[in-house]
Amino acid sequence: MTPTADAGTGPLAPGFTERYRVIQSRDRRFDGQFVTAVRSTRIYCRPSCPARTPLEQNVTFYATSAAAHEAGYRACKRCLPEAAPGSPMWDVRSDVAARAMRLIADGVVDREGVPGLASRLGYSSRHLTRVLAAELGAGPLALARAHRAHTARALLVGTDLSSADVAFSSGFSSIRQFTETIGEVFGMPPSALRARRPSSAHGEASAGEIDLALPVRGPIDTVGLFGWMRAHAIPGVEAGDDRSFSRVVRLPGGPVWFEVRLADDGRLRLRARLSTLADLGTLISRVRRLFDLDADPLAVDEALAQHPELAPAVAAIPGVRVPGAVDPDEMLLRAMIGQQISVASARTMQGRLAAELGESVDIGPAPSILFPPPAVIAERGLEVLRGPAARMRAIVEAAAALADGSLTLGPGDDRVEQRERLLAMRGIGPWTADYVRMRVLGHPDVLLPGDVAARAGAAALGLPSDPAGFTAWSERLAPWRSYAMAHYWYAAPVTQAWRSPAAARPVRPPESEMPA
């Protein structure tokens, strides 16, 4: 018996034998990391599909659902592979395929077409299509089409939006294109797919809101995530408590308000109000990156727990996540403002900046403020910012570079090139450049030896806390040092209030030296 070779699986993917064992065991951990296509039925499934395991000779594995679509397969109606969390490989890998996948999820193909995607990656459209077809089994148009189908499925089963609203908010250019794609991918018309939704799928959204469940690969440390967001929230822009986080942000179509909350059934839900429904796919992608929802927590925990010094911390906080960013430009400027000052001080300065230079919007349940764009900070930042003159000038210069396009940041950046570009800027050192890589790119292997709180946490765990010793000991944790940083931060005495319920927190929690 000779199993069918994998298709478009990339250089880091497991082989056929390993994947076949996964589908035999129905391991939910691998949902979203690949799909199983069965030639005898012309259907593809997620690894945990409860259906009978197909014979080896009938199986082909694909890295993406788009590749299975292109090969003529349709999605399983029983396991709905399009409802699985995304693959963590796009953060672990840093090659052009992974960078392209992050940009496609952000809606670049829908907004700028394949030429825009190729330009961002430094390739011609033809060469990029060849690379993606070889690596992932599908070109950029097919990958974008699969992403639109994923968004449409979520809206059909999770909201009461009309089919027309679902079509255009998913990025389709016409009702006909939407209907044909849903039929091809799922083997049923949109109305039939909607009819299959469970009664519990309805959200509690008010008029004009969208309320969706967010697929997550568990376990997930929601206590730490909401604690982090709450502690760093910019007054007027963001708000958080023990079970929710909300904010306003600019997207290509205009201002958006969103809230991520932990529902009573233990699921994470996204509630949103958008200026234009076409931004919904981009918003979902950015929220997933902000909350690190596509991580593989079991793989991370297993690797970190192999070290006895970290094992108790991993056992105490399973499924730790590394917060991302919804706006790369804002993330850089916030990081620069937070250099060498406490989180509380950084929040105060960021709140003053937003109050004086930000735009007030009424798109959410209450009036909010949009964080000022780089052009405004470049023009008027020195009127508001306080601190050492050299640092304030560096922030304004960085804002000017972001505004005029001489400095660009985004999820599709090459890790090494992004770091080099940032280090070339005045006032940006290794801590800031690496912190931006961690937050904007979701890089899983960043260590910040200059971070005071992280080294304090290392000391609390019985690890070396001097910069050289801290760096040397942490080398054994590659490629998951970003997640080790989260454990270091949570072990620091100054962050303990973040992980306690509101009723148990002091009225004025101690300031932290963690990055802002």
Side-chain angles (χ1 to χ4, degrees):
M1 178 185 303
T2 303
T4 302
D6 295 355
T9 51
L12 300 181
F16 183 96
T17 301
E18 291 83 356
R19 289 183 170 185
Y20 193 76
R21 289 179 186 146
V22 166
I23 67 170
Q24 285 179 312
S25 65
R26 295 175 174 81
D27 192 338
R28 298 180 67 89
R29 162 183 157 182
F30 292 88
D31 285 356
Q33 301 196 39
F34 65 89
V35 296
T36 305
V38 184
R39 287 204 306 277
S40 57
T41 61
R42 305 306 295 175
I43 289 173
Y44 70 89
C45 303
R46 63 167 77 190
S48 67
C49 183
R52 185 176 65 182
T53 303
L55 298 175
E56 286 183 77
Q57 64 264 32
N58 290 335
V59 167
T60 301
F61 294 119
Y62 290 94
T64 64
S65 59
H69 299 163
E70 292 297 285
Y73 296 89
R74 63 173 175 82
C76 174
K77 298 178 183 179
R78 186 171 183 181
C79 69
L80 286 177
E82 304 295 328
S87 173
M89 290 301 293
W90 312 136
D91 288 336
V92 175
R93 291 172 55 171
S94 60
D95 57 11
V96 66
R99 294 165 58 203
M101 287 298 290
R102 295 197 292 267
L103 289 173
I104 290 170
D106 198 56
V108 168
V109 171
D110 294 334
R111 295 191 299 271
E112 304 174 19
V114 175
L117 175 68
S119 176
R120 286 174 178 245
L121 296 170
Y123 288 84
S124 69
S125 298
R126 180 175 297 180
H127 183 65
L128 177 63
T129 299
R130 285 198 299 264
V131 169
L132 294 182
E135 287 286 327
L136 305 177
L141 284 175
L143 292 165
R145 178 173 176 262
H147 183 72
R148 288 193 291 269
H150 174 93
T151 302
R153 187 215 63 82
L155 292 175
L156 286 168
V157 303
T159 74
D160 292 316
L161 288 175
S162 69
S163 291
D165 284 342
V166 169
F168 294 116
S169 61
S170 304
F172 291 98
S173 59
S174 68
I175 302 293
R176 178 179 178 179
Q177 183 189 62
F178 159 72
T179 303
E180 290 177 349
T181 298
I182 295 299
E184 291 172 7
V185 172
F186 299 105
M188 64 181 81
S191 58
L193 184 59
R194 165 160 280 172
R196 296 173 62 89
R197 64 179 175 175
S199 59
S200 60
H202 296 271
E204 300 176 359
S206 303
E209 290 183 353
I210 289 173
D211 194 312
L212 295 171
L214 294 170
V216 179
R217 186 179 290 106
I220 179 169
D221 173 34
T222 56
V223 173
L225 277 171
F226 287 125
W228 175 288
M229 302 296 178
R230 182 183 66 241
H232 290 83
I234 301 175
V237 178
E238 302 168 313
D241 57 31
D242 297 333
R243 296 174 64 91
S244 68
F245 170 77
S246 63
R247 69 161 293 167
V248 288
V249 65
R250 285 183 188 83
L251 290 185
V256 170
W257 172 87
F258 72 85
E259 175 194 65
V260 177
R261 71 186 187 280
L262 182 62
D264 292 340
D265 62 3
R267 303 178 73 186
L268 284 179
R269 297 195 68 89
L270 170 66
R271 190 159 61 111
R273 297 181 183 179
L274 302 97
S275 298
T276 173
L277 286 173
D279 280 337
L280 181 60
T282 298
L283 175 64
I284 293 173
S285 174
R286 295 193 185 186
V287 167
R288 296 193 66 81
R289 296 188 65 78
L290 177 65
F291 281 80
D292 197 16
L293 298 185
D294 292 326
D296 185 348
L298 295 182
V300 174
D301 288 357
E302 181 181 357
L304 297 183
Q306 290 178 0
H307 306 280
E309 300 89 341
L310 271 185
V314 175
I317 309 177
V320 74
R321 303 299 169 106
V322 178
V326 292
D327 186 319
D329 293 355
E330 175 190 306
M331 186 72 262
L332 171 61
L333 297 173
R334 290 176 67 169
M336 295 182 72
I337 291 171
Q339 290 173 344
Q340 300 178 351
I341 61 175
S342 69
V343 167
S345 297
R347 287 184 66 209
T348 298
M349 187 180 300
Q350 293 161 359
R352 183 187 305 125
L353 195 68
E356 297 195 24
L357 303 182
E359 176 187 352
S360 296
V361 291
D362 294 323
I363 194 168
S368 301
I369 305 171
L370 288 167
F371 191 81
V376 174
I377 296 176
E379 181 181 354
R380 299 184 54 200
L382 292 179
E383 301 173 12
V384 180
L385 295 169
R386 299 291 182 268
R391 186 183 304 162
M392 299 305 103
R393 285 196 300 270
I395 294 170
V396 170
E397 288 176 5
L402 291 168
D404 66 22
S406 57
L407 175 64
T408 59
L409 295 174
D413 290 353
D414 177 87
R415 295 170 181 172
V416 175
E417 292 177 359
Q418 184 195 80
R419 189 175 193 271
E420 291 175 349
R421 289 199 306 269
L422 290 175
L423 290 177
M425 302 287 295
R426 182 164 63 171
I428 298 180
W431 180 88
T432 303
D434 288 334
Y435 184 63
V436 169
R437 279 195 304 149
M438 177 190 290
R439 299 290 302 275
V440 171
L441 299 183
H443 190 353
D445 196 32
V446 173
L447 187 75
L448 304 173
D451 192 276
V452 175
R455 297 208 315 270
L461 294 172
L463 303 174
S465 58
D466 62 289
F470 176 75
T471 301
W473 190 90
S474 297
E475 287 179 354
R476 69 194 67 188
L477 305 178
W480 305 116
R481 283 175 285 187
S482 296
Y483 294 91
M485 283 292 300
H487 282 293
Y488 296 150
W489 279 328
Y490 291 142
V494 293
T495 67
Q496 295 306 302
W498 294 13
R499 301 197 61 84
S500 61
R505 288 198 302 272
V507 175
R508 297 183 64 185
E511 292 185 354
S512 164
E513 294 299 325
M514 287 183 62

